[in-house]
């Protein structure tokens, strides 16, 4: 069997042809180092360039490891290592030995704490049928990827800078694989999506890509930035045995601690009220103390000078289902009966807190007590709070700027395919709608979700139709900047962008429908909700 060899700037790579579950084949180059392993003294530092190698490097399998992290399924364990800065390139068989092909770069999610871009997590099969080259990347997560101690010895956003390093490598080398370095679309889900949005804002990544697809996460989501980062860094060190307040001493100490111990301890570090609500101890921060800041100033300022590129952005209809792992009445009452902690994230004014709390109780819960009957209301409120409100506000602002087109979607399809939510939840909560990351199930082949049924959705089923529609629109956008340049047997609806005159969005169900938000009410002060858009 032919084993193609390509020559990138660091040396020669030998790939491998793999079978696609949809038929045909694709060419894979796996485990390509895009930066030096961040080991030893390179821990907490910006990524360094990758070393060159002699001879032919075998790129038929994943190299290094996933970023060290806590695994929750199938068993609770700390996995991975710090040697994780590798990417994978996948090329459809019919694009082999062709040139100037569109590139899609996948950034994995996982709350900045877990996840990976290897084919053990996601495979490219579904997109390979749509004539694009896919690149999936890994980056440092958790404290090892985001420690910010307010000093250049550990200034934060190392994981985001890993993403920049990967994009630079892609820009420099992708032409060798038949890709077009001037037609790169970055896309991701959840923390991968908010990372992609942050990349559009950072001065370090300007010009490295041309379009972006943001699935269930943007830079202004409550959980997308971590506050009190310095306090968290010192608290982590203290928990591990060093109470110094000297940042250099603390970072030198943390470099001596085994990575798995840092990962095991990092979940105990939740300093601020916001952190306790979002439960993300380490993530993106303003890193103005860095020699080369990724986020040199507040997001609100960076949004004024973001990359003027085409955007697809959206959410699933019932995002929060994934996070309701315990639906006992006692837990529901304990967690959601008191709304003040959620409201305090936005304001410290006692009068305003009282006012907004009453509005939420009336709008979502109709002033009824929290019981199991409240679950749909809880899902709506928390989905809006964490995902839908910030996305809709972002689109509302962008559409008025008359910049590059922005396409809004609501993924509402509930199918028969296994999803991450179904795998994670061990309760009897019915699937009342599309949960967080459900859309990815129809975009990328997820091996952990396909254990019992490895075949793709059968032709003629609604699941297969949604797969065809979603992959076609996403790859159309990657090719042209327009998800529906024409209609065909699968894409039967023209998806119009949101404009200053019309707040359009596409509801993606078994039959996608173009709808318009007409009642965009100011329900929660600075938080805008659209009553006509709620589908619960």
């Amino acid at each position: 069997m032919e084993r193609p060899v390509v020559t990138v700037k660091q040396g020669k790579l030998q790939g491998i042809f793999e079978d696609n579950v949809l038929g045909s084949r694709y060419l894979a180059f796996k485990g390509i180092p895009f930066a030096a392993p961040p080991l030893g003294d390179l821990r907490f530092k910006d990524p360094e360039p990758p070393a060159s190698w002699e001879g032919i490097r075998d790129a038929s399998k994943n190299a290094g490891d996933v970023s060290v992290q806590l695994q929750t399924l199938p068993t609770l364990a700390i996995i991975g290592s710090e040697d994780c800065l590798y990417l994978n390139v996948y090329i459809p068989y019919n694009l082999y030995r062709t040139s100037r092909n569109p590139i899609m770069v996948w950034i994995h999610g996982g709350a900045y704490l877990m996840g990976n871009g290897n084919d053990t997590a996601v495979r490219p099969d579904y997109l390979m049928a749509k004539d694009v080259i896919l690149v999936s990347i890994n980056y440092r997560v958790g404290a090892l990827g985001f420690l910010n101690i307010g000093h250049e010895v550990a200034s934060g956003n190392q994981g985001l800078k890993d993403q920049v390093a990967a994009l630079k490598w892609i820009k420099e080398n992708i032409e060798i694989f038949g890709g077009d370095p001037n037609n790169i679309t970055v896309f991701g889900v959840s923390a991968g999506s908010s990372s992609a949005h942050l990349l559009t804002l950072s001065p370090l990544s300007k010009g490295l890509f041309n379009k972006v697809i943001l699935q269930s996460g943007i830079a202004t989501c409550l959980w997308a930035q971590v506050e009190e980062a310095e306090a968290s860094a010192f608290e982590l060190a203290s928990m591990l045995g060093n109470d110094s307040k000297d940042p250099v001493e603390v970072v030198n100490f943390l470099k001596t601690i085994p990575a798995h111990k840092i990962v095991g301890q990092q979940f105990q570090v939740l300093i601020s009220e916001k952190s306790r609500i979002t439960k993300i101890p380490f993530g993106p921060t303003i890193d103005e103390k860095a020699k080369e800041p990724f986020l040199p100033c507040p997001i609100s300022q960076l949004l004024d000078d973001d990359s003027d590129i085409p955007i697809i952005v959206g959410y699933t209809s019932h995002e929060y289902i994934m996070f309701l792992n315990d639906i006992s009445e006692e837990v529901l009452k304990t967690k959601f009966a008191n709304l003040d902690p959620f409201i305090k994230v936005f304001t410290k004014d006692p009068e305003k807190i009282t006012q907004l709390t009453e509005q939420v109780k009336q709008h979502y819960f109709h002033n009824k007590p929290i019981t199991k009957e409240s679950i749909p209301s809880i899902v709506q409120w928390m989905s809006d709070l964490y995902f839908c409100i910030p996305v809709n506000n972002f689109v509302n602002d962008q559409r008025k700027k008359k910049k590059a087109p922005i396409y809004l979607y609501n993924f509402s399809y509930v199918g028969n395919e296994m999803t991450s939510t179904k795998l994670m939840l061990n309760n009897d909560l019915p699937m009342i709608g599309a949960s967080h990351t459900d859309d990815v199930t129809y975009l990328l082949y997820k091996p952990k979700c396909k254990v019992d049924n490895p075949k793709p959705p059968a032709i003629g089923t609604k699941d297969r139709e949604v797969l065809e529609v979603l992959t076609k629109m996403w790859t159309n956008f990657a090719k042209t900047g327009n998800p529906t340049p024409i209609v065909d047997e699968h894409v039967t609806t023209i998806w119009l962008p949101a404009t200053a005159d019309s707040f359009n969005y596409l509801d993606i169900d078994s039959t996608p429908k173009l709808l318009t938000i007409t009642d965009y009410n100011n329900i929660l002060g600075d938080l805008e909700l659209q009553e006509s858009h709620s589908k619960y």
Side-chain angles (χ1 to χ4, degrees):
M1 184 182 297
E2 183 184 5
R3 291 283 308 279
V5 174
V6 299
T7 303
V8 298
K9 292 187 181 298
Q10 291 76 37
K12 295 182 183 297
L13 293 164
Q14 186 168 44
I16 189 169
F17 284 103
E18 299 196 334
D19 293 328
N20 189 333
V21 295
L22 295 179
S24 76
R25 312 174 78 207
Y26 56 84
L27 177 57
F29 291 88
K30 306 179 194 179
I32 306 172
F34 64 83
L39 305 172
D41 193 51
L42 295 184
R43 181 186 284 182
F44 305 126
K45 287 190 175 182
D46 292 358
E48 297 283 343
S52 298
W53 58 83
E54 298 294 330
I56 299 176
R57 181 185 177 97
D58 182 11
S60 65
K61 54 185 180 296
N62 297 315
D65 207 339
V66 302
S67 179
V68 60
Q69 60 191 264
L70 182 68
Q71 172 188 271
T72 55
L73 291 173
T75 57
L76 198 64
I78 294 176
I79 62 169
S81 75
E82 293 179 88
D83 184 8
C84 63
L85 300 184
Y86 301 87
L87 57 77
N88 312 295
V89 179
Y90 303 100
I91 307 161
Y93 183 80
N94 59 309
L95 297 188
Y96 177 42
R97 292 178 174 162
T98 64
S99 61
R100 314 302 292 181
N101 296 299
I103 313 301
M104 297 184 74
V105 180
W106 173 252
I107 302 178
H108 71 78
Y112 313 116
L113 298 168
M114 59 192 75
N116 70 86
N118 292 344
D119 58 6
T120 53
V122 291
R123 275 174 34 189
D125 300 47
Y126 299 161
L127 291 175
M128 291 293 94
K130 297 295 190 290
D131 294 344
V132 295
I133 293 174
L134 178 70
V135 183
S136 60
I137 70 174
N138 287 302
Y139 56 94
R140 286 172 282 180
V141 298
L144 294 164
F146 292 93
L147 190 85
N148 184 345
I149 205 163
H151 189 283
E152 64 182 36
V153 293
S155 54
N157 297 333
Q158 299 87 359
L160 292 167
K161 290 181 176 181
D162 292 343
Q163 296 171 18
V164 173
L167 288 171
K168 287 181 176 178
W169 190 96
I170 294 165
K171 186 84 170 176
E172 292 174 352
N173 291 282
I174 202 64
E175 205 163 2
I176 300 298
F177 299 91
D180 183 352
N182 297 312
N183 191 9
I184 298 173
T185 300
V186 173
F187 71 128
V189 67
S190 194
S193 177
S194 56
S195 294
H197 190 203
L198 289 167
L199 287 166
T200 71
L201 307 180
S202 174
L204 299 185
S205 45
K206 297 291 186 186
L208 294 180
F209 57 100
N210 313 92
K211 297 175 286 293
V212 67
I213 301 174
L214 309 175
Q215 299 175 229
S216 301
I218 61 172
T220 52
C221 288
L222 281 181
W223 46 265
Q225 298 173 67
V226 171
E227 296 178 350
E228 301 189 29
E230 294 176 37
S232 295
F234 285 114
E235 179 68 13
L236 176 65
S238 178
M239 288 177 171
L240 290 166
N242 188 305
D243 292 320
S244 173
K245 296 303 177 186
D246 180 335
V248 176
E249 180 183 337
V250 166
V251 170
N252 285 336
F253 165 75
L254 288 174
K255 285 181 178 179
T256 69
I257 302 297
H260 72 274
K261 288 190 176 180
I262 291 177
V263 171
Q265 195 66 58
Q266 68 187 10
F267 293 93
Q268 306 306 314
V269 179
L270 288 171
I271 301 296
S272 67
E273 185 75 19
K274 179 178 176 181
S275 293
R276 286 192 288 272
I277 293 295
T278 60
K279 293 182 172 56
I280 296 177
F282 294 96
T285 53
I286 305 303
D287 59 346
E288 73 279 1
K289 299 289 180 64
K291 288 183 180 178
E292 289 187 276
F294 181 87
L295 297 173
C297 59
I299 296 298
S300 57
Q301 296 178 35
L302 293 169
L303 283 166
D304 293 332
D305 188 34
D306 60 347
S307 299
D308 187 14
I309 59 176
I311 298 170
I312 286 177
V313 61
Y315 37 73
T316 63
S317 62
H318 294 67
E319 294 271 6
Y320 199 74
I321 293 174
M322 174 182 280
F323 308 100
L324 275 180
N325 55 343
D326 190 334
I327 57 172
S328 64
E329 202 150 291
E330 180 181 354
V331 169
L332 293 177
K333 286 180 180 179
T334 301
K335 192 170 183 178
F336 299 107
N338 180 13
L339 298 176
D340 284 6
F342 300 104
I343 303 299
K344 285 179 180 177
V345 170
F346 301 99
T347 179
K348 303 302 180 187
D349 182 346
E351 186 175 334
K352 189 69 172 176
I353 290 171
T354 301
Q355 176 188 345
L356 293 180
T357 299
E358 291 306 311
Q359 288 179 325
V360 170
K361 285 180 178 178
Q362 173 57 41
H363 182 73
Y364 291 96
F365 301 98
H366 308 293
N367 289 323
K368 294 179 180 179
I370 299 295
T371 66
K372 277 198 171 186
E373 299 298 317
S374 309
I375 286 176
S377 298
I378 290 170
V379 170
Q380 180 186 352
W381 157 236
M382 300 303 286
S383 298
D384 282 350
L385 182 68
Y386 286 128
F387 299 96
C388 306
I389 291 171
V391 167
N392 286 338
N393 285 345
F394 170 63
V395 175
N396 195 39
D397 289 340
Q398 290 292 109
R399 73 188 181 98
K400 296 172 182 176
K401 293 179 181 179
K402 298 183 178 179
K403 299 173 74 172
I406 184 165
Y407 297 88
L408 174 63
Y409 74 87
N410 172 59
F411 184 87
S412 60
Y413 179 70
V414 179
N416 296 314
E417 284 289 287
M418 179 59 69
T419 65
S420 295
T421 293
K422 292 176 184 177
L423 278 181
M424 290 172 61
L425 293 185
N426 57 359
N427 56 46
D428 58 355
L429 179 65
M431 295 304 296
I432 56 177
S435 178
H436 189 57
T437 76
D438 277 9
D439 46 348
V440 182
T441 298
Y442 300 91
L443 193 64
L444 294 162
Y445 185 94
K446 301 171 78 170
K448 289 183 180 179
C449 291
K450 301 297 290 181
V451 172
D452 295 330
N453 181 22
K455 294 182 179 180
I459 293 174
T461 62
K462 288 185 178 181
D463 283 1
R464 181 58 172 262
E465 187 59 28
V466 170
L467 184 157
E468 295 291 346
V469 169
L470 205 62
T471 54
K472 187 66 178 289
M473 292 192 301
W474 263 228
T475 54
N476 278 344
F477 181 77
K479 294 170 184 177
T480 69
N482 182 344
T484 55
I486 59 172
V487 296
D488 60 22
E489 60 178 320
H490 298 297
V491 179
T492 58
T493 301
I494 295 294
W495 184 356
L496 299 176
T499 65
D501 298 323
S502 188
F503 201 159
N504 301 310
Y505 73 97
L506 190 71
D507 182 70
I508 303 176
D509 202 338
S510 55
T511 304
K513 299 176 288 295
L514 185 71
L515 303 173
T516 302
I517 298 175
T518 57
D519 185 11
Y520 199 62
N521 294 315
N522 194 359
I523 302 293
L524 297 178
D526 293 335
L527 301 179
E528 292 175 321
L529 294 175
Q530 63 299 337
E531 290 182 273
S532 63
H533 185 48
S534 297
K535 292 176 174 289
Y536 305 93

